[in-house]
Amino acid sequence: MGSTSTKSNMQKNNQTVYSILFIIGICHLLNDSLQAVIPAMFPILEKSLGLTFTQLGLIAFTLNMVASVMQPLVGLYTDKRPMPYALPVGLTSSMVGMLGLALAPNFWMILLSVLFIGLGSAVFHPEGSRVAYLAAGNRRGLAQSIYQVGGNSGQALAPVITALVLVPLGQFGAIWFTLIAGLAVFFLIHISKWYAVQIKFFYGDTKKQSEKKPDKGLSKAIKGALVVLVFLVFARSWYAAAISNFYAFYTIENYGLTIAQSQVYIFTFLFMGAVGTFLGGPLADRFGKRNVILLSLLAPAPLALILPYVGPISSIILLAFIGLLLMSSFSVSVVYAQELIPGKIGTMSGLIVGLAFGMGAIGSVALGSLIDIFGLTITMIAISVLPLLGLLTYLLPSDEKVSQWYA
């Protein structure tokens, strides 16, 4: 009887729960759209509160450090002590932060509000990734793609948020995003109830698997593979940050475009990146995660190399293909890391998504300094070589080898 029950649970575990995946994907979109509000508000805050660029930089730094770098720490804690209801609690923190952002009378209140939003995001991402893992069944690549494409879509909404909400309504327009946060809290309460039930079936087996300590040689190989993977994610994040943050200035300087026209290039890159994020997971399920990671960096490399030398029409076409290809490994990298170190689902999600993006933000500061020293054109030419670092993917063990390690 016990054997039959276990078999039934295993069969259930292999089913992909699409309803949960789509809801957590929508929540990811809502969460990341809240984050997108903050940089979108910079021109508004600069005028309404008279903030300096240094103060705006501190706001961006606070958001990135709290929301990104804390993710591995949250993941590490919840891997040991799963907390299903941390999801709605985290978004409640973001809701409080959005309310504070709309009503803040000074810089310090803005900074405190951003801290609350960052904390909510730091809690949401590793736990949301765990929900996607639990609902994935045997289609982990597709599941992470559905989850991650929500976040990428939320980030791509920044130009729309600026144009439709913040420009006409100003700082107080952020009050409308408390409703978005409240909607996410409502969805996440439902998710948490499902999560609490599922964790009883899944977590016991995962914990046992994670307690299998590999020998020293294998442990060294796993750590080496993880270092290579994080480095590859850094390279991808640095290139994406360069395009997202500075390419608009490049088009204005080199093509004579207006600010509004330059946003089309950024939106194209981000939107096609979201499409690539969605497509990468199913491709990885079919052709292998390592192969998709390799393709996502090397395939756009020649396009990235010629991007600084083409005209305004060709560049927008190249950006579409670069975004599509480059971001196809976004969700795949998370799944690869989770399978590299089983039982550390939240930690690996936090490391690959959170810490890597935090480093990408630091990369943006470095790129900004390079632009100040050498100029936009030379910097854009320099960063075009970053996708070539995809050659390091050959140092990663194959999917089959990773599976054999834990057989």
Side-chain angles (χ1 to χ4, degrees):
M1 187 76 175
S3 176
T4 304
S5 177
T6 303
K7 187 176 180 181
S8 174
N9 287 337
M10 288 175 65
Q11 289 173 344
K12 185 178 179 181
N13 293 352
N14 285 329
Q15 294 178 354
T16 305
V17 189
Y18 287 102
S19 59
I20 294 296
L21 287 176
F22 286 124
I23 294 173
I24 197 67
I26 290 169
C27 290
H28 198 180
L29 184 151
L30 298 176
N31 178 84
D32 282 28
S33 68
L34 297 180
Q35 279 189 257
V37 169
I38 296 168
M41 281 188 73
F42 280 178
I44 310 294
L45 294 174
E46 193 244 341
K47 289 183 179 180
S48 65
L49 297 179
L51 301 186
T52 65
F53 284 102
T54 300
Q55 289 174 319
L56 293 176
L58 283 170
I59 292 170
F61 181 80
T62 300
L63 177 66
N64 282 311
M65 287 301 102
V66 176
S68 299
V69 178
M70 279 191 65
Q71 284 188 41
L73 300 178
V74 173
L76 186 64
Y77 182 83
T78 54
D79 279 333
K80 295 177 181 178
R81 300 174 184 84
M83 300 171 65
Y85 288 93
L87 282 165
V89 170
L91 260 292
T92 300
S93 172
S94 295
M95 183 166 61
V96 171
M98 290 309 303
L99 182 62
L101 198 62
L103 303 175
N106 54 51
F107 167 71
W108 295 108
M109 189 63 186
I110 291 285
L111 210 59
L112 181 62
S113 301
V114 167
L115 184 67
F116 273 96
I117 295 168
L119 283 170
S121 188
V123 171
F124 173 81
H125 280 98
E127 285 299 274
S129 185
R130 192 194 311 278
V131 169
Y133 185 94
L134 296 177
N138 56 8
R139 305 200 68 184
R140 291 178 184 171
L142 174 64
Q144 279 296 326
S145 285
I146 292 171
Y147 169 66
Q148 297 293 354
V149 77
N152 285 17
S153 301
Q155 293 164 17
L157 287 174
V160 180
I161 290 169
T162 303
L164 299 183
V165 180
L166 299 179
V167 170
L169 298 179
Q171 180 184 343
F172 188 72
I175 197 79
W176 289 102
F177 292 92
T178 60
L179 298 178
I180 289 178
L183 181 63
V185 170
F186 174 77
F187 284 143
L188 287 172
I189 290 172
H190 169 71
I191 288 282
S192 296
K193 291 176 182 177
W194 178 86
Y195 179 6
V197 173
Q198 295 302 311
I199 208 73
K200 296 176 183 178
F201 297 114
F202 286 87
Y203 191 68
D205 294 337
T206 307
K207 189 175 180 182
K208 287 177 184 177
Q209 191 177 16
S210 67
E211 288 172 351
K212 294 179 182 178
K213 294 186 178 179
D215 58 51
K216 288 185 178 180
L218 181 55
S219 179
K220 188 176 180 181
I222 292 170
K223 290 177 182 176
L226 188 60
V227 168
V228 171
L229 181 64
V230 169
F231 188 80
L232 290 170
V233 173
F234 282 1
R236 186 187 67 210
S237 298
W238 278 40
Y239 185 82
I243 298 298
S244 301
N245 294 326
F246 301 114
Y247 196 77
F249 297 100
Y250 180 84
T251 63
I252 293 167
E253 182 178 296
N254 288 272
Y255 304 145
L257 303 182
T258 65
I259 294 175
Q261 289 170 333
S262 71
Q263 293 303 305
V264 175
Y265 290 75
I266 308 307
F267 179 76
T268 298
F269 177 76
L270 293 174
F271 176 77
M272 292 305 291
V275 174
T277 298
F278 178 74
L279 295 177
L283 288 173
D285 287 335
R286 180 161 185 171
F287 300 107
K289 289 171 281 296
R290 180 175 176 259
N291 292 336
V292 170
I293 294 171
L294 178 66
L295 180 71
S296 77
L297 286 162
L298 290 189
L303 305 181
L305 288 170
I306 65 173
L307 180 63
Y309 305 102
V310 299
I313 303 299
S314 299
S315 62
I316 201 166
I317 296 170
L318 288 177
L319 281 172
F321 281 104
I322 291 170
L324 179 72
L325 293 166
L326 190 73
M327 301 309 291
S328 63
S329 64
F330 189 92
S331 59
V332 179
S333 303
V334 177
V335 179
Y336 185 92
Q338 289 173 341
E339 295 186 357
L340 198 61
I341 306 182
K344 300 292 183 182
I345 302 166
T347 307
M348 290 302 101
S349 172
L351 181 67
I352 299 303
V353 179
L355 185 58
F357 267 101
M359 294 300 104
I362 293 172
S364 295
V365 177
L367 289 166
S369 299
L370 288 174
I371 291 170
D372 286 337
I373 297 169
F374 299 107
L376 267 168
T377 301
I378 291 177
T379 303
M380 284 299 162
I381 292 171
I383 62 102
S384 67
V385 302
L386 284 172
L388 287 173
L389 293 174
L391 289 167
L392 294 174
T393 307
Y394 286 110
L395 298 176
L396 293 176
S398 66
D399 295 30
E400 293 77 15
K401 192 169 185 179
V402 173
S403 297
Q404 289 171 6
W405 286 349
Y406 297 101

